[in-house]
Amino acid sequence: MKARGKLTPHAPLAPLVWFKSGGNADWLFEPADADDLISFLRDLDPDVPVMALGLGSNMIVRDGGVPGVVVRLGKPFARIEQIDATTLRCGGGASGILVSSTARDAGIAGLEFLRGIPGTVGGFVRMNGGAYGREVSDILVSARIALRSGEVEEWPAERLGYTYRHSELPEGAVVLDATLRGTPGDREVIGAEMDRIAQAREESQPLRSRTGGSTFKNPDGHKAWALIDAAGCRGMKLGDAQVSDKHCNFLLNLGSATSADIEELGEEVRRRVQARTNITLEWEIQRVGVVQ
């Protein structure tokens, strides 16, 4: 495997994900730029799986690690360019905070909610990331993606087939950049809304913890946290994994939890909610890799 970027064998992934747990990637590839990534994918054996990794905020990496190549987009993919008065082209590695701040400074409203999502543009596009009543499908014009084959295609938003926290982005594809559109707005009003979102997160979520963000999708007509609370799971522990006391839809690694502990705790929460309410919670967190 040839590349200009950094290619690391048997790379530990735990330091790169918020839970700080899990095994190694067979290979970790941090491409130098888009051309480097495209040629790497084109030359890679088609049987080798590829997975993109953003900030690792909404992910459980299982203890057996991730086979194949994990692609992590660094600074070369975090650039943001203003296309017109209300449109930004954002690199797949740009964070939600960077995108929303750039939009604020440009007087573009409608992207404030990205301040409340701890991830990157690539992850938002794949998962239809959302918060505070908005989601990426509301603002996405198109995404430029590198397919597993190394071909590059520009997909309009409708081709991504968005539903709640889901898209039809192909397996092994990597989001190079995305074009996002808001509406004209007042910088001070936009800034105030971003501050409100940051404050709301601070008050309601365990931000200083090893967590994976929102664990389960909100079922139709329900809030996942309220179902979990009603099932008596607030503060429940398994080894060093715990259901957050502060926000029941967050799982925590108190220090030395394995990914298996965290995932099993989540499954126990699902069982208890099912038994009490007959509602099946669906995982929102991505669980990847091999169970040890």
Side-chain angles (χ1 to χ4, degrees):
M1 290 189 281
K2 286 187 296 187
R4 286 183 288 114
K6 190 177 174 189
L7 191 57
T8 311
H10 312 301
L13 294 177
L16 306 182
V17 297
W18 279 34
F19 271 126
K20 303 299 179 216
S21 67
N24 297 350
D26 287 349
W27 294 90
L28 178 67
F29 179 40
E30 299 167 272
D33 51 35
D35 288 341
D36 188 29
L37 173 60
I38 291 159
S39 60
F40 177 85
L41 291 173
R42 195 175 54 230
D43 296 343
L44 187 63
D45 180 335
D47 292 333
V48 175
V50 169
M51 183 192 90
L53 174 66
L55 294 182
S57 56
N58 203 227
M59 179 177 282
I60 294 173
V61 173
R62 291 177 171 133
D63 301 307
V66 178
V69 178
V70 172
V71 175
R72 189 165 184 248
L73 303 183
K75 280 189 178 162
F77 294 86
R79 298 192 183 103
I80 299 177
E81 175 190 0
Q82 187 169 353
I83 307 292
D84 60 35
T86 56
T87 312
L88 300 175
R89 182 176 291 126
C90 308
S95 69
I97 288 178
L98 181 61
V99 174
S100 55
S101 302
T102 304
R104 175 198 62 209
D105 294 347
I108 300 172
L111 279 64
E112 297 91 341
F113 73 99
L114 294 176
R115 172 68 181 82
I117 313 179
T120 58
V121 166
F124 302 158
V125 169
R126 177 174 288 282
M127 295 287 292
N128 192 18
Y132 304 97
R134 303 270 288 161
E135 52 190 13
V136 165
S137 57
D138 297 329
I139 57 171
L140 183 76
V141 178
S142 63
R144 196 167 63 104
I145 61 174
L147 298 172
R148 171 63 187 80
S149 61
E151 295 171 275
V152 176
E153 294 182 354
E154 181 101 19
W155 282 32
E158 40 289 1
R159 188 173 172 188
L160 284 156
Y162 277 132
T163 52
Y164 177 63
R165 303 293 175 267
H166 176 78
S167 77
E168 299 295 333
L169 196 70
E171 195 76 23
V174 180
V175 176
L176 298 174
D177 53 54
T179 302
L180 306 177
R181 181 168 293 146
T183 54
D186 179 274
R187 288 178 198 175
E188 286 190 14
V189 174
I190 295 165
E193 174 64 5
M194 285 171 59
D195 290 346
R196 185 191 71 78
I197 287 170
Q199 183 71 28
R201 282 189 73 225
E202 184 73 44
E203 288 170 1
S204 67
Q205 299 176 13
L207 300 182
R208 312 263 175 275
S209 312
R210 297 177 173 189
T211 183
S214 218
T215 307
F216 300 108
K217 299 176 182 180
N218 289 323
D220 280 348
H222 297 275
K223 292 286 188 194
W225 77 264
L227 295 171
I228 295 165
D229 201 14
C233 299
R234 184 183 289 268
M236 188 167 73
K237 283 186 185 177
L238 177 68
D240 244 3
Q242 182 183 22
V243 177
S244 170
D245 279 317
K246 191 171 186 180
H247 191 314
C248 306
N249 199 24
F250 282 60
L251 301 181
L252 308 177
N253 177 358
L254 298 179
S256 59
T258 63
S259 291
D261 292 336
I262 296 165
E263 190 168 1
E264 179 51 36
L265 179 61
E267 289 296 340
E268 180 60 23
V269 168
R270 293 180 74 229
R271 283 191 285 272
R272 292 192 183 194
V273 169
Q274 176 80 42
R276 182 183 165 87
T277 64
N278 209 27
I279 293 171
T280 305
L281 289 179
E282 285 184 45
W283 285 90
E284 180 171 327
I285 285 181
Q286 280 186 289
R287 294 161 298 144
V288 301
V290 178
V291 176
Q292 204 162 37

